[in-house]
Amino acid sequence: MPYRTDPPADAAGTEPCDAETPLSPGGDLLVIDTAGAVLGKHSERLQVRIDRQVVREAPLFRLRQVVIASRGVQVSSDVIQVCARRGIPLHVLGRWPGDMATVSVPIGNQTVATRRAQFRAADNGLGDTWVRRVVEAKLRTQVALLRYLGKNRRDADPATYGVLMAAVSDIERYADAVPVVGSTPEDVALVARLGGPGTTGFAEAATVPGGDLADGDDAEAGPDVQGAGDDVPPTPLMAVLRGLEGAGGRAYWAAVGTVLRSHGVPWTGREYRGTGNAFNAALNYGYGILASQVQTAVHLAGLDPGAGFLHADRAGRSSLVLDAIEEFRQAVVDRPLIGLASRRVAFRMIPGVARLDDPTRRLVAEAVLERLDGLEPYGGGRYALRTIVGMQASRLATYLRGDAVAYEAWVGRWW
């Protein structure tokens, strides 16, 4: 049950923590990932009980977020009330990253102006431009991570290095196309050609096979959850951009799979709903934790989490969160989990259930939280990734209101 606080002095460019590395006591993010846990309030702190025993306490004055990442967790009304009063978001993760319940409070004076501008951006071109920047940034961050993975493999493992560099070349082509591609039939045909065999038209480009823009990004999602094929992009341009993201995703995951298999990790491809593959389930769970951070950042920036641009509007879904998470998937989740796999750390499922076991869920949560505390270059300084997530949400709000000329997306760099 991870509970994080002070970031390390300098975590940038380092490998993820070992599975045995304990988290510092105290913290600003409380993650509850055990079924049957009870979250209550006692004096000026929150208490987590399992089988009537107190297993964790979180002082309210240091707490910034609460994430409930398991089914069957009980929360007292006192906890909801005190979190709302003190402005501590309480997230209940659902079956995939965009399916999340959040208890929060009204925020700053710019909220109304920001949301009016956000709704207008769907029609005035600002939303389209922002999506281009996000998709391109994601593709270039994938390139950065693949280069990072290939750094010591040129001589040690030439075959894997060759696979990684071939993927880098392909993804760079897709990234180069994002700023200039439009929504004409010729552009759709371009996406089909870039995607290679199997992507032979508009419909297939829109479904993004092999990318991350699917609704089923959670190991516990059931057959009632609609997948990417049912999530029609809101505009032809969004379909084209999703096609480019999907082509990049196929190349990226094929290359990552080669690395994973070299470390003995079973992998046949990216899977979402109800996956029985432990590493895919770990990715899905990690993306859920990341989504809670993005949801908080979007809320604090005064944006409406349900009004996205790349993902279509749907009741009960945080479409803007699903859009904004794309800048950070590789940096926050993929990198530390691949690092754990390289150390031969085992990812385990509950036998007969499409769900990670509790020790693995805890391991994944700790790795993701450690990475969120890692320092990265940003705007001439170095900041924790969780801070960068917040600053990018604020940058988006400023851009949509017209207070900034352009939106500069964040790209991970690790060499």
Side-chain angles (χ1 to χ4, degrees):
M1 194 170 302
Y3 179 38
R4 286 308 309 265
T5 182
D6 304 323
D10 187 350
T14 62
E15 290 287 341
C17 61
D18 292 327
E20 295 79 12
T21 302
L23 295 173
S24 303
D28 62 4
L29 172 62
L30 176 62
V31 179
I32 303 168
D33 57 7
T34 303
V38 178
L39 178 62
K41 175 182 175 293
H42 180 76
S43 186
E44 288 298 303
R45 56 189 181 274
L46 300 188
Q47 288 185 335
V48 182
R49 290 184 172 85
I50 298 177
D51 296 330
R52 299 186 178 183
Q53 299 295 315
V54 176
V55 297
R56 184 74 64 190
E57 291 191 335
L60 286 164
F61 79 94
R62 295 170 60 180
L63 195 59
R64 291 195 300 176
Q65 291 185 65
V66 177
V67 176
I68 298 174
S70 177
R71 297 176 179 177
V73 175
Q74 300 180 45
V75 182
S76 76
S77 59
D78 288 348
V79 169
I80 296 173
Q81 186 179 59
V82 74
C83 286
R85 187 170 65 246
R86 298 196 179 205
I88 302 170
L90 190 154
H91 303 290
V92 182
L93 302 190
R95 294 178 173 179
W96 51 281
D99 178 19
M100 157 189 342
T102 298
V103 178
S104 56
V105 293
I107 49 179
N109 294 330
Q110 289 275 43
T111 299
V112 173
T114 297
R115 293 191 177 184
R116 288 184 189 276
Q118 180 183 354
F119 301 147
R120 289 195 299 269
D123 300 315
N124 65 15
L126 291 181
D128 292 349
T129 301
W130 177 69
V131 170
R132 287 183 190 273
R133 300 287 170 80
V134 168
V135 171
E136 182 183 2
K138 176 182 180 174
L139 293 170
R140 297 203 185 281
T141 299
Q142 288 176 338
V143 166
L145 181 52
L146 294 180
R147 289 188 184 278
Y148 177 80
L149 294 175
K151 187 168 58 175
N152 298 318
R153 287 182 165 88
R154 184 192 294 267
D155 298 321
D157 187 355
T160 299
Y161 179 80
V163 170
L164 291 169
M165 293 305 104
V168 163
S169 178
D170 287 342
I171 298 170
E172 284 181 330
R173 284 194 295 123
Y174 310 144
D176 290 342
V178 169
V180 296
V181 72
S183 55
T184 66
E186 291 76 18
D187 291 328
V188 175
L190 170 64
V191 172
R193 291 198 301 274
L194 288 173
T199 37
T200 56
F202 185 92
E204 257 187 290
T207 61
V208 202
D212 286 316
L213 301 180
D215 285 352
D217 276 352
D218 186 89
E220 296 177 332
D224 57 318
V225 178
Q226 293 176 303
D230 301 311
D231 182 30
V232 179
T235 67
L237 175 59
M238 293 303 106
V240 172
L241 293 176
R242 286 178 63 152
L244 288 167
E245 187 279 340
R250 286 188 292 278
Y252 171 78
W253 287 115
V256 169
T258 301
V259 172
L260 293 174
R261 288 189 292 271
S262 74
H263 295 303
V265 177
W267 179 267
T268 58
R270 184 75 179 96
E271 298 172 355
Y272 306 94
R273 295 178 293 174
T275 179
N277 176 268
F279 194 83
N280 269 301
L283 288 169
N284 298 337
Y285 182 55
Y287 293 149
I289 294 174
L290 172 59
S292 72
Q293 306 301 294
V294 175
Q295 175 103 353
T296 295
V298 162
H299 174 74
L300 293 177
L303 294 158
D304 186 328
F309 303 100
L310 185 57
H311 289 81
D313 296 342
R314 182 182 296 167
R317 178 171 71 179
S318 299
S319 295
L320 184 66
V321 173
L322 291 177
D323 291 355
I325 199 177
E326 298 304 328
E327 277 185 76
F328 300 102
R329 287 180 187 265
Q330 279 67 51
V332 175
V333 179
D334 298 4
R335 181 187 170 190
L337 296 192
I338 295 169
L340 290 176
S342 72
R343 293 184 170 87
R344 306 280 176 165
V345 172
F347 297 85
R348 296 187 174 89
M349 307 282 284
I350 298 174
V353 180
R355 183 180 185 275
L356 296 171
D357 64 17
D358 285 344
T360 302
R361 286 164 71 89
R362 203 162 297 123
L363 171 70
V364 171
E366 291 175 357
V368 171
L369 297 178
E370 185 80 10
R371 187 71 188 108
L372 281 165
D373 283 339
L375 301 182
E376 290 287 339
Y378 184 92
R382 292 171 66 81
Y383 299 89
L385 264 171
R386 69 170 73 248
T387 302
I388 295 173
V389 170
M391 290 192 289
Q392 286 300 96
S394 296
R395 178 174 280 179
L396 171 59
T398 300
Y399 168 67
L400 295 180
R401 289 197 306 267
D403 297 335
V405 175
Y407 176 87
E408 183 178 350
W410 183 80
V411 178
R413 295 178 177 85
W414 298 310
W415 66 88

